[in-house]
Amino acid sequence: MRLLLFIAVLLLSSPAFAQDAEPAAEPKAETVGEMVEAAKPPPPADMGDLQRRVELATKMHEFRPAREQVDNAVATIALKVAPDKRELFKIGMRNVLNYKAIEKVSIDAMAETFTEKELEAMVEYYSKPEARSVSDKYYLYQEKVSPEIVKMLDKAMMQVKTGAPGQ
């Protein structure tokens, strides 16, 4: 779900989709993954000390544990499973997921992606009770918005493939 939302934001924020933008050159990327890679901005020149970024990313996981984020994603996916099999599905998923490995990947990715100052700002923000409340509710927001974005993306993709006019 988060990936779909991320892709949607990337696509919708791209100047190629702006109403008054110049026509875009023929895209060189052939897959969505290649388009996402091409759209990534270069990393900032001064990332700061790696060890400090790892410490801050670890601190972030105290406020936003990867386990909770994964469990929220599993709960969302479980909504597509028959109600009588839903709980068994969630238990099965929790039993096969390696939460420690997911957390390490998440911490490493944060440390590689964000600058020291960005991580400090994130830690400061997420240390507040209101920010933790927002974080806890964010998946509810995504459950409401993601299906609409997926519908719009499906419609847009169909229009692009068929050449049908947009609305």
Side-chain angles (χ1 to χ4, degrees):
M1 288 281 188
R2 292 177 197 261
L3 178 61
L4 288 175
L5 186 58
F6 171 74
I7 291 169
V9 169
L10 275 178
L11 291 174
L12 295 175
S13 65
S14 171
F17 290 95
Q19 301 235 346
D20 57 352
E22 296 290 322
E26 191 65 32
K28 295 178 183 171
E30 295 185 17
T31 67
V32 172
E34 290 172 347
M35 287 190 286
V36 170
E37 272 307 305
K40 287 182 182 177
D46 181 23
M47 294 289 289
D49 176 58
L50 178 61
Q51 182 57 40
R52 175 72 176 139
R53 292 194 326 265
V54 170
E55 289 170 10
L56 289 164
T58 302
K59 182 78 172 165
M60 267 300 299
H61 280 74
E62 292 175 19
F63 304 122
R64 296 198 59 192
R67 176 184 208 94
E68 287 179 15
Q69 294 177 55
V70 170
D71 283 344
N72 285 338
V74 168
T76 300
I77 294 167
L79 294 173
K80 298 179 183 189
V81 175
D84 61 324
K85 297 178 182 176
R86 202 169 282 161
E87 197 57 36
L88 193 59
F89 171 80
K90 290 193 276 189
I91 291 168
M93 290 294 287
R94 285 187 204 115
N95 286 336
V96 294
L97 289 169
N98 183 340
Y99 288 98
K100 286 184 181 183
I102 292 168
E103 183 170 306
K104 180 174 178 2
V105 167
S106 181
I107 288 170
D108 290 348
M110 274 188 163
E112 292 170 9
T113 303
F114 300 112
T115 66
E116 194 173 322
K117 287 184 179 186
E118 290 168 335
L119 285 163
E120 287 170 350
M122 290 166 64
V123 167
E124 179 185 341
Y125 174 75
Y126 281 105
S127 67
K128 298 175 183 176
E130 297 83 3
R132 286 194 300 272
S133 177
V134 166
S135 180
D136 291 344
K137 294 178 188 174
Y138 204 77
Y139 79 96
L140 295 170
Y141 159 78
Q142 287 180 318
E143 284 179 346
K144 294 174 182 177
V145 174
S146 292
E148 295 304 315
I149 291 173
V150 169
K151 284 181 201 175
M152 290 177 195
L153 287 172
D154 286 345
K155 184 177 178 181
M157 287 173 54
M158 187 58 72
Q159 289 174 346
V160 168
K161 284 182 181 179
T162 64
Q167 292 181 343

